[in-house]
Amino acid sequence: SGVWSGAKDIVVERLEAVSADGTKVPLVVTRLRSATGRVPTLVEAYGGYGIDTATPFYNRNLLAFIAKGGAAAYCGVRGGGERGRAWHEGGRGPNKPRGQEDLIACAETLTAKGIAPTQGPIATGSSMAGALVPGAVLRKPQVFGGMITRVGIVNASRIGVAENGANQFAEIGDPADPQQFKDLLAMDAYQMITGSSSLPPTMMVIGMNDRRVAPWMTAKFVARAQTKWPNLPIWLRSDARAGHGVGTTEDVRRDEVADILAFAWYNQQAR
């Protein structure tokens, strides 16, 4: 307990990133007071359902990363609730690409400010962030040091055949509507692979008992990405004991978090 004294050693820095269209995006960085200069950095985003990501909270999953000297950043992309209803609408459905641009801007800002390593931070996100994070990384892979997704909607155009897909139509679009299907294609990371130039070190996590987001979406993404880039580090972590994360037992949670943070730390140190 003498080595890690808790939240009093963590400092919070509030920044803004300027997105492609000039919109200022809230960006919050948390790290130890002693962790100065470029350090391993995770930048998390969600961009859905009007949920606020850029307000720091007690995230026990990242405390080990911070305690080791890394930085945990939170990018409040459009689609979230950081700036009210208009901010949510600004990244919902047909506007999802604006949220991707916001995350790119946050990554570039973290590097330009001398916080993230020169290769850029590792982008991470879960669930609905599957329609955000991989799209941003595939659009501009050179600004990201890596990518980690958990149980993500990475094949959005196929949401209509997913078990829980209909519940997502209001947020991202209904594939039965021709225009909304085009919108879904524009956020579909699986479909974006063919037109992308590269992918940084990637780890994608699924639970085989996930009833909220179909795990086959991520499996398809990894298979296509590995086929296109057979020499790149692209990993799929699957756990038959896990689902979407809600109600996960403590031992399963610990195993998953340990693998995610080990992957993140190694790839920020080794490149």
Side-chain angles (χ1 to χ4, degrees):
S1 60
V3 176
W4 171 241
S5 54
K8 70 181 182 63
D9 295 323
I10 297 175
V11 293
V12 178
E13 185 177 5
R14 299 184 183 276
L15 305 170
E16 284 186 320
V18 180
S19 196
D21 63 357
T23 299
K24 293 182 178 179
V25 181
L27 174 63
V28 176
V29 182
T30 57
R31 55 178 168 170
L32 292 180
R33 198 178 310 277
S34 58
T36 58
R38 297 190 185 277
V39 297
T41 302
L42 285 164
V43 57
E44 183 169 353
Y46 184 72
Y49 288 107
I51 293 174
D52 187 341
T53 302
T55 298
F57 62 100
Y58 180 76
N59 185 345
R60 64 176 178 153
N61 291 341
L62 290 181
L63 285 179
F65 194 80
I66 293 174
K68 192 172 175 66
Y74 300 89
C75 179
V77 305
R78 280 170 283 188
E82 284 78 6
R83 292 176 177 165
R85 179 71 184 190
W87 196 254
H88 176 205
E89 293 296 332
R92 187 172 73 87
N95 296 320
K96 186 63 71 176
R98 304 292 79 75
Q100 295 171 359
E101 292 165 0
D102 294 349
L103 179 54
I104 290 168
C106 282
E108 291 174 328
T109 299
L110 288 166
T111 305
K113 293 284 187 181
I115 297 169
T118 55
Q119 71 265 28
I122 292 181
T124 185
S126 304
S127 196
M128 182 57 68
L132 167 76
V133 172
V137 173
L138 286 166
R139 287 176 69 173
K140 206 165 184 180
Q142 65 271 26
V143 306
F144 294 97
M147 177 177 75
I148 301 169
T149 68
R150 291 184 61 259
V151 296
I153 302 176
V154 301
N155 190 195
S157 65
R158 297 291 288 162
I159 195 72
V161 297
E163 181 180 13
N164 191 43
N167 285 334
Q168 319 300 325
F169 289 173
E171 180 65 22
I172 58 175
D174 182 347
D177 179 288
Q179 181 54 55
Q180 292 183 41
F181 180 71
K182 291 180 181 178
D183 298 336
L184 287 162
L185 279 175
M187 68 181 83
D188 190 320
Y190 173 77
Q191 298 295 344
M192 293 172 69
I193 290 172
T194 55
S196 183
S197 61
S198 187
L199 195 64
T202 292
M203 178 180 183
M204 305 186 84
V205 178
I206 55 174
M208 294 305 293
N209 295 308
D210 193 343
R211 306 294 294 274
R212 291 194 178 189
V213 175
W216 50 257
M217 288 190 177
T218 295
K220 284 174 61 179
F221 181 100
V222 170
R224 175 173 276 189
Q226 289 178 338
T227 299
K228 181 170 183 177
W229 300 297
N231 297 319
L232 296 183
I234 302 169
W235 301 92
L236 174 66
R237 186 192 190 278
S238 172
D239 195 326
R241 303 169 297 170
H244 197 68
V246 178
T248 297
T249 59
E250 184 63 18
D251 58 334
V252 173
R253 185 198 70 82
R254 284 199 304 262
D255 289 350
E256 180 179 305
V257 171
D259 286 348
I260 288 172
L261 297 187
F263 175 88
W265 192 267
Y266 172 79
N267 281 288
Q268 292 275 270
Q269 294 290 316
R271 297 181 67 210

